[in-house]
Amino acid sequence: MSSSNNKKKSVLIIGGTGYLGQHLLQQLSNNSLIQHPFNLAFTHHSTLPPQPLLQAIHSNCLTFPLNLQNGHGFDAISSTFGQPDVVVNCAAISAPSACETDPATAMSVNVPSALVKWLLGFGNDNTLLIHLSTDHVYEGVKSFYKEEDETAPVNVYGQSKVESEHFISANWSNFAILRSSIIYGPQTAAPVRKSLPVQWIDSLLAKGNEVELFHDEFRCPIFIKDVVTIIRTLTSRWIADGTNMQVILNVGGPDRLSRLQMAETVAAVKGYELSLLKPVSASTINRGVKSPADISMDIKKLKQTLGVSPMRFEEGVKLTLADPTGITS
């Protein structure tokens, strides 16, 4: 059962300076969007939290340095913040090529053993652990995978996420694992270094450049605000009724799209020439890492379990390009 309902609830975001982490912090700290405000804290790995992020957060928020590989930093969180009601683990090495180059580091970061060990130290299961996994856990040999389908990843990134799912389900009794597809949307308050897919396509087409894109790899991209809504809904449900969860959900949008089709949507929204888009087969490019061909996901369970229906890609692209440098609150 959850802890007493009399005290203000607390949420800890692991990896708060990343793309999803920043959007979560802005939304969870905005009292106009949250019925019952939280005590918020987030972790960062190396550099100090950037000033634009701190300015964008609507309330006081504690920050903690944390090394997920060895657990250095958890003691300070315990003494200052205490046991959180909800932990959202957004931290990961998520570039498949980086995971392939250094599998040991990928496993040590992506399998949250230090995080789960820290939670076990509280001696209860009063914390809901929301963990971000990936559609790369699937093999990619069919369309619209269901959660109960076999996980058979073809690269180290997917393998590390399967291991993370197994570790959490074996060692922690209160969790929600979110198998996310490509997350897209507006830039964060403090711009992240990784390339954002819609903005990247838009910037190339705006220059009149031809762009080669895969026509034969399929995903179900999901708008950032929908991911935030899913996490908020899980958080509210746990805090409201205190019933432990053990749930795995596919977290994708409703559209099965190739990179080429994603770009065609951006071009249609902005009025670019479709002739700039050149289809290529994924098999013709050596990326140094094997990539699954079709990891589109069935999201019926997500809709039925949480009542959340992610928006169509075209609608998300319009919102992204209308607000390219930061999410409106």
Side-chain angles (χ1 to χ4, degrees), residues 43-312:
T43 72
H44 55 93
H45 175 55
S46 50
T47 57
L48 291 173
Q51 200 60 36
L53 171 60
L54 298 177
Q55 291 170 346
I57 298 172
H58 297 259
S59 63
N60 292 329
C61 188
L62 296 175
T63 67
F64 299 95
L66 179 67
N67 186 322
L68 265 185
Q69 292 175 269
N70 56 29
H72 290 168
F74 278 123
D75 287 346
I77 299 173
S78 296
S79 60
T80 307
F81 193 64
Q83 181 179 2
D85 293 282
V86 177
V87 172
V88 185
N89 182 27
C90 306
I93 298 176
S94 57
S97 58
C99 294
E100 214 70 24
T101 303
D102 190 352
T105 299
M107 288 291 180
S108 66
V109 172
N110 291 353
V111 180
S113 52
L115 169 58
V116 172
K117 181 181 178 181
W118 175 64
L119 292 175
L120 289 167
F122 289 107
N124 58 61
D125 57 3
N126 291 344
T127 298
L128 171 64
L129 173 56
I130 302 174
H131 175 75
L132 271 293
S133 186
T134 176
D135 51 5
H136 273 256
V137 300
Y138 299 117
E139 187 176 7
V141 295
K142 67 173 194 137
S143 301
F144 296 111
Y145 280 88
K146 294 181 170 64
E147 289 86 349
E148 59 269 23
D149 287 333
E150 179 185 8
T151 55
V154 301
N155 54 40
V156 172
Y157 173 54
Q159 291 164 8
S160 71
K161 286 298 192 176
V162 169
E163 287 301 312
S164 76
E165 293 185 8
H166 290 168
F167 187 87
I168 290 168
S169 58
N171 293 282
W172 191 246
S173 60
N174 190 12
F175 63 84
I177 290 170
L178 308 181
R179 291 176 176 165
S180 171
S181 185
I182 297 169
I183 299 174
Y184 70 95
Q187 181 59 276
T188 45
V192 292
R193 286 176 292 179
K194 75 171 186 173
S195 176
L196 301 180
V198 171
Q199 289 89 331
W200 175 74
I201 294 167
D202 180 42
S203 66
L204 289 176
L205 294 178
K207 296 172 185 173
N209 294 341
E210 289 189 352
V211 188
E212 292 187 341
L213 294 148
F214 299 141
H215 65 82
D216 52 0
E217 283 188 359
F218 297 92
R219 312 279 294 274
C220 290
I222 183 166
F223 189 56
I224 182 66
K225 275 193 175 182
D226 288 326
V227 183
V228 171
T229 297
I230 289 162
I231 292 170
R232 283 173 48 191
T233 302
L234 287 163
T235 297
S236 298
R237 183 168 296 186
W238 160 242
I239 287 174
D241 65 23
T243 302
N244 279 15
M245 301 182 200
Q246 295 181 0
V247 63
I248 296 176
L249 294 172
N250 285 338
V251 173
D255 300 303
R256 172 184 176 270
L257 298 169
S258 67
R259 296 278 183 171
L260 178 65
Q261 289 170 320
M262 291 172 64
E264 287 172 345
T265 303
V266 174
V269 168
K270 291 295 291 283
Y272 298 127
E273 288 292 332
L274 288 176
S275 59
L276 294 172
L277 303 174
K278 304 300 179 183
V280 297
S281 173
S283 63
T284 64
I285 307 294
N286 181 9
R287 287 170 279 174
V289 56
K290 192 172 181 182
S291 187
D294 187 346
I295 45 177
S296 55
M297 296 186 294
D298 186 313
I299 57 170
K300 290 190 187 74
K301 184 178 176 183
L302 171 70
K303 295 178 178 179
Q304 292 166 356
T305 304
L306 300 183
V308 175
S309 294
M311 70 176 63
R312 299 292 302 269

